[in-house]
Amino acid sequence: MLGDYPITGRGAAEISASVERAVGSGELEPGQPLPPMRELAQRLGVNPNTVAAAYRTLRERGVIETAGRRGSRVRAKPATTGREFIRVEVPEGVRDVSDGNPDPALLPALGPAFAAAAEQGDREPVLYGHEPVDPELARVARAELDADGVPDGPLAVTSGSLDAMERVLAAHLKPGDAVAVEDPGWGSLLDLVPALGLRTVAVGVDDQGPLPEDVRRVLAAGARALVVTDRAQNPTGAAVSAARAR
């Protein structure tokens, strides 16, 4: 069932970590079934409740899914699987934009900019205690945020939007909290939420953004956070209109 990969461990944390490592490395592939809990417990010489706890942790982290009597299997897009192991075949004549990468032919040459930055770094090294955000970057970003109506406040720089969302969710929520996400929504966010131990609840989307009635429903039901894509929503391309924003 698992090919050559042996699940190991004596405690629930060790067993779940063993499975998650294999999923992350590609040794256990998306959709691959896992042993029944009693069978794995017997093989490892542990109580079935220990394996049940390990599988529960893996489900909460978005690594596996359970379908009743059909047993447990690695999720089709597990949160810890490297993207190189999840491939989508693109038909001939169709351009795949799902990875979000720009066309390099449309990008400006960065060599001169990097050289200028390196030269400035040699003259004025950035050390601990300096401003965490470059003042000129902060000025440009603040102007963009002002144009979008974002209230004034501290500015943080992150390694992309997914990193920003992870920091916000981890800082404000606790495992088990519900996060409202767009449906259909961005696959990377749908992977991130369960990997943080959080639960996803769906909010429908049309051409103007999230549906207000869905938003009211999930917030009234206790969702602790709502993630909204204001423009170029993935995968629909929707942009939130002024009326919808209000």
Side-chain angles (χ1 to χ4, degrees):
M1 181 178 290
L2 297 178
D4 296 328
Y5 182 79
I7 297 177
T8 60
R10 298 288 299 173
E14 294 174 351
I15 296 169
S16 61
S18 172
V19 173
E20 192 162 355
R21 279 195 305 270
V23 172
S25 67
E27 293 175 272
L28 292 180
E29 299 179 352
Q32 191 163 351
L34 297 179
M37 288 184 282
R38 289 188 178 278
E39 177 184 316
L40 181 58
Q42 185 175 10
R43 186 188 311 173
L44 297 177
V46 300
N47 190 294
N49 290 337
T50 301
V51 176
Y55 279 21
R56 182 169 59 252
T57 297
L58 291 166
R59 284 196 303 273
E60 291 172 350
R61 288 183 57 76
V63 179
I64 70 171
E65 57 190 5
T66 301
R69 294 184 178 181
R70 288 182 293 174
S72 300
R73 62 184 62 245
V74 179
R75 284 183 62 206
K77 287 187 64 176
T80 48
T81 294
R83 284 296 174 259
E84 66 271 20
F85 298 110
I86 302 175
R87 302 195 179 277
V88 176
E89 298 299 328
V90 180
E92 185 177 354
V94 174
R95 176 171 292 183
D96 180 11
V97 297
S98 64
D99 57 14
N101 285 320
D103 185 343
L106 302 178
L107 296 177
L110 296 178
F114 285 151
E119 183 179 345
Q120 180 176 335
D122 288 341
R123 291 196 310 269
E124 304 174 21
V126 178
L127 305 174
Y128 291 118
H130 285 201
E131 287 292 328
V133 178
D134 181 81
E136 178 62 11
L137 174 60
R139 185 190 67 78
V140 172
R142 187 65 256 169
E144 295 278 350
L145 294 171
D146 287 343
D148 278 347
V150 178
D152 195 10
L155 184 67
V157 177
T158 65
S159 181
S161 57
L162 193 66
D163 179 34
M165 286 185 281
E166 179 177 359
R167 290 168 184 261
V168 171
L169 295 175
H172 289 277
L173 305 185
K174 62 182 183 300
D177 282 347
V179 178
V181 296
E182 297 160 333
D183 180 23
W186 184 29
S188 295
L189 174 63
L190 301 181
D191 288 346
L192 171 66
V193 172
L196 295 175
L198 306 170
R199 296 183 294 112
T200 58
V201 292
V203 170
V205 179
D206 64 11
D207 289 343
Q208 298 185 60
L211 302 176
E213 289 304 318
D214 280 9
V215 172
R216 293 189 186 97
R217 173 181 52 80
V218 298
L219 294 180
R224 296 291 311 284
L226 168 66
V227 182
V228 178
T229 310
D230 58 352
R231 49 181 170 257
Q233 199 265 357
N234 187 335
T236 68
V240 177
S241 66
R244 184 64 55 84
R246 286 192 297 271

